[in-house]
Amino acid sequence: MTQTASTEDLKKLIREVPDFPKPGIIFYDITTLLKHPEGLRRTVDGLAAQLQGTEIDTVVGIEARGFIFAPALAYHLGAGFVPVRKPRKLPAERASITYELEYGQDTLEIHRDAIGDGHRVVIADDLLATGGTAKAVVDLVEGLGGKVVGLVFVIELEFLKGRQKLHGYDVRSLIKYQS
């Protein structure tokens, strides 16, 4: 099966929910993909294939849905897994970053000892939309001395132009939506 056919097959497993969380928005619900054993397997395999040949020490997963894919990807690649969490969820010394959202701010945290100088890091999440969250995680990783060697996403909403915030980084996604 070709990569295009495979991507289209995965896209068919994603439920499109109109007017959620507000009118005019289409929510791409991955729970229908996750419950499908072959779809889940092909998603993780597809993410891993995009990183083939890349030296990786750590896969960083972004709370919450990044936690679904990042550990499986780390296992597949023989790398470690590090979570990036919302405030007050991590017990040891943390580094944090506050960043702008469309309507307000958000904060993310990582353990200070999770990433060392020169660690080769891949950031994994379910969705690339505006790129703000992913860029904040890039800044956290680099602030701890890590080198971001790639970012991978299951879904990319190309019309929101999130890649622009990640200019200069290797950004990959399995499934793309133009609108």
Side-chain angles (χ1 to χ4, degrees):
M1 179 176 293
T2 67
Q3 180 62 25
T4 304
S6 175
T7 299
E8 287 304 312
D9 289 343
L10 291 175
K11 200 180 235 187
K12 290 175 187 172
L13 296 174
I14 296 170
R15 175 176 29 214
E16 295 182 21
V17 182
D19 300 320
F20 185 83
K22 61 184 185 177
I25 302 289
I26 296 175
F27 185 83
Y28 297 100
D29 178 14
I30 63 168
T31 61
T32 49
L33 170 68
L34 295 172
K35 75 177 186 177
H36 191 278
E38 185 62 21
L40 177 59
R41 181 179 1 267
R42 288 194 7 237
T43 299
V44 174
D45 289 349
L47 293 172
Q50 293 195 18
L51 297 165
Q52 195 167 34
T54 305
E55 285 189 56
I56 301 163
D57 299 308
T58 306
V59 178
V60 169
I62 304 171
E63 188 167 352
R65 289 178 301 273
F67 290 1
I68 297 167
F69 300 102
L73 184 58
Y75 175 82
H76 201 292
L77 298 170
F81 163 70
V82 169
V84 170
R85 308 267 342 243
K86 294 180 180 169
R88 297 174 301 281
K89 302 278 186 171
L90 296 171
E93 188 179 349
R94 299 165 309 279
S96 67
I97 190 166
T98 299
Y99 62 102
E100 297 297 320
L101 296 170
E102 188 175 350
Y103 301 105
Q105 293 183 326
D106 206 354
T107 301
L108 292 170
E109 297 182 335
I110 189 171
H111 278 135
R112 283 203 174 273
D113 62 358
I115 306 292
D117 282 339
H119 279 195
R120 297 171 308 258
V121 175
V122 165
I123 297 167
D125 205 1
D126 69 317
L127 179 71
L128 175 59
T130 64
T133 301
K135 179 62 168 102
V137 175
V138 165
D139 293 345
L140 269 176
V141 167
E142 291 178 343
L144 294 174
K147 176 174 175 33
V148 176
V149 296
L151 296 97
V152 293
F153 302 92
V154 176
I155 296 172
E156 179 178 357
L157 304 179
E158 291 183 312
F159 58 95
L160 294 177
K161 302 186 185 320
R163 279 179 187 259
Q164 291 178 357
K165 286 189 180 151
L166 302 167
H167 181 74
Y169 294 94
D170 182 12
V171 179
R172 315 271 181 114
S173 56
L174 280 181
I175 301 165
K176 298 176 184 184
Y177 290 93
Q178 280 75 42
S179 61

